[in-house]
Amino acid sequence: MRISRSRTAFTLVELLVVIAIIGVLVGLLLPAVQAAREAARRMSCSNNFKQIGLAVHNYHSAYKQLPTHGSGTPNIGGTPDGETAARAPTANHRRELSWLVALTPFIEQQALWEQISNPLQDPLTGAIFPSMGPAPRRWLAHHAVTRYEPWLTEVPGFRCPSDPGVGLPAQGRTNYVACVGDSAFQLAGIAGDNGQTNSNQAQNARAGCRGVFVHRADSRFRDILDGLSNTICAGEIATDLGDNDTRTRGAHSGGEVSAAGGVLLCDDEVDPNRPQFWKAGFTNAPLQGGGTDEEQRRGYKWAMSRGIWGKFTTISPPNSLLCMETNNFNDSILPASSRHQGGVHVLMADGAIKFVTDSIEAGNQSSAQVGNGAAYLPAGSQSPFGLWGALGTRAAKETDTTLE
């Protein structure tokens, strides 16, 4: 008698079919997982911005004004920035500290604020910086000589989780900057590095500085006549990754960006095959402030109030070109930007967080901007940049600008 014994097992073909099916399922599931992760990062980014909004309101409740964007000690008599050990004790910050510096004790960064607001020793030289430290404009060019730790500190609450940028040559990165309105005219604000102003500066600032924040000037909620819920207080930016991204590295306009057609002056510098990047050999924005080209990029200095580091304008729609006029400090087209798909977060003056799409109505991009002089729209004009521009003005009497 012979007993037949059969063995049960997968054949090679069956095993390959099962593996193929699993691969297809993973391929179908992966985009959904990535989308869920991005949704979580976007929610976390919104929450970080919300905490900043609450800090702004708490600050206003405590001091009866908004944190000054462009605060600190003035540069009187050429007092140095503290770039050498001998000069560190006499350093000033040229009235260039951003609104975020004053908010640190209101976002659970009391330890960092204690370092900033008290004299601090340089770990490299032993020299002692004065209270509030040196100007944050140029660290990298002198990092082997002096080192001011607070400006190099990365504050988690100032970062969007969707932005992968880390480390040098940035100081401390930020993804949240102040809204300075719908005009690039007189973005330097109402005073110079020395803290002094004149009638011409004041007149220009009254005409062109239409945002919640006016550089080097005090602002209050009562100044926002359009209503807190109708006015953008701050916006999101992407930080530079070391490439030629049109949103994070500035091109030189070669002309006046606040005059008619100025918004479009950098369009010819874009790579036609990759519109998100500048073309090879594009005209880079000129250097300013004694730093290096590598450190003069978007989002690289959270403590710096000026230009590409601390401001955004509601002129071009979100994720548009970063177009610089004469330098990285003053009059420039500074759009909001982000690593999210299709738009950016903005903080309204009432503390609400809104997501604004890249397709928001932005009026006539060829228009001159509001300023002081024959080449500009007269002071008090309605924003020429549609809904987006109207949201950036604090007192232009545009009332139909509520975002849903």
Side-chain angles (χ1 to χ4, degrees):
M1 236 177 118
R2 303 176 70 181
I3 300 175
S4 176
R5 295 181 180 177
S6 61
R7 298 181 60 190
T8 327
F10 288 113
T11 65
L12 180 59
V13 173
E14 291 172 331
L15 185 60
L16 291 175
V17 170
V18 170
I19 293 174
I21 292 173
I22 293 174
V24 170
L25 292 175
V26 170
L28 293 173
L29 185 61
L30 189 58
V33 172
Q34 290 175 332
R37 287 178 174 174
E38 170 54 23
R41 288 192 291 264
R42 179 172 153 180
M43 181 69 71
S44 179
C45 178
S46 175
N47 183 64
N48 285 347
F49 219 175
K50 183 69 174 178
Q51 297 306 311
I52 292 175
L54 291 173
V56 168
H57 278 255
N58 288 336
Y59 185 98
H60 193 281
S61 178
Y63 296 106
K64 310 307 178 188
Q65 69 171 57
L66 295 169
T68 301
H69 189 61
S71 63
T73 50
N75 183 29
I76 298 176
T79 305
D81 296 342
E83 69 273 19
T84 67
R87 295 177 175 179
T90 60
N92 69 73
H93 16 76
R94 300 173 179 261
R95 297 289 305 276
E96 291 180 343
L97 298 187
S98 78
W99 65 305
L100 297 175
V101 174
L103 290 183
T104 51
F106 294 87
I107 59 165
E108 299 185 1
Q109 291 293 329
Q110 185 66 33
L112 179 60
W113 172 249
E114 291 293 338
Q115 286 186 320
I116 296 170
S117 59
N118 291 290
L120 187 66
Q121 188 174 44
D122 174 10
L124 294 179
T125 65
I128 298 178
F129 287 101
S131 172
M132 305 305 291
R137 65 161 64 187
R138 54 176 184 178
W139 167 74
L140 188 62
H142 304 286
H143 71 281
V145 182
T146 57
R147 185 179 177 92
Y148 189 69
E149 292 295 334
W151 300 161
L152 312 180
T153 301
E154 189 116 321
V155 181
F158 295 158
R159 293 304 315 277
C160 170
S162 294
D163 191 303
V166 294
L168 296 174
Q171 293 188 13
R173 294 178 188 244
T174 182
N175 293 103
Y176 311 114
V177 295
C179 179
V180 292
D182 68 336
S183 176
F185 183 83
Q186 191 64 27
L187 285 187
I190 201 168
D193 291 1
N194 59 6
Q196 299 176 3
T197 189
N198 56 52
S199 60
N200 186 57
Q201 279 180 312
Q203 188 175 0
N204 288 342
R206 283 198 300 269
C209 298
R210 289 155 51 98
V212 166
F213 290 98
V214 177
H215 197 237
R216 294 175 173 150
D218 294 339
S219 302
R220 296 170 176 80
F221 283 145
R222 71 182 184 187
D223 300 327
I224 306 173
L225 303 182
D226 287 350
L228 302 187
S229 61
N230 292 332
T231 309
I232 296 175
C233 173
E236 186 178 6
I237 60 169
T239 72
D240 189 73
L241 302 181
D243 51 19
N244 285 335
D245 193 318
T246 58
R247 305 170 302 167
T248 62
R249 185 179 186 188
H252 189 209
S253 66
E256 190 174 0
V257 296
S258 51
V263 176
L264 310 176
L265 287 176
C266 292
D267 286 8
D268 291 341
E269 302 286 353
V270 177
D271 187 337
N273 297 316
R274 297 194 308 157
Q276 194 174 339
F277 297 89
W278 301 115
K279 64 185 179 183
F282 79 104
T283 307
N284 189 19
L287 300 181
Q288 291 291 320
T292 64
D293 177 64
E294 289 76 14
E295 68 178 313
Q296 300 203 20
R297 308 290 175 85
R298 201 74 156 130
Y300 269 19
K301 304 180 182 186
W302 72 268
M304 179 65 159
S305 65
R306 298 180 71 163
I308 62 172
W309 302 285
K311 302 175 182 177
F312 94 96
T313 56
T314 57
I315 300 170
S316 294
N319 291 304
S320 297
L321 309 182
L322 189 62
C323 189
M324 319 299 294
E325 187 171 300
T326 56
N327 53 56
N328 294 341
F329 281 171
N330 298 322
D331 303 348
S332 302
I333 307 299
L334 305 168
S337 56
S338 81
R339 303 290 176 184
H340 307 303
Q341 186 66 35
V344 300
H345 289 108
V346 296
L347 169 66
M348 308 303 288
D350 66 349
I353 305 299
K354 305 291 186 180
F355 191 78
V356 177
T357 63
D358 297 343
S359 60
I360 188 171
E361 194 269 311
N364 179 12
Q365 290 293 293
S366 297
S367 173
Q369 295 157 37
V370 176
N372 182 29
Y376 316 102
L377 299 180
S381 297
Q382 182 174 344
S383 177
F385 303 115
L387 172 60
W388 182 232
L391 286 167
T393 64
R394 67 181 182 275
K397 303 300 183 182
E398 296 124 335
T399 58
D400 56 343
T401 59
T402 304
L403 288 177
E404 299 297 337

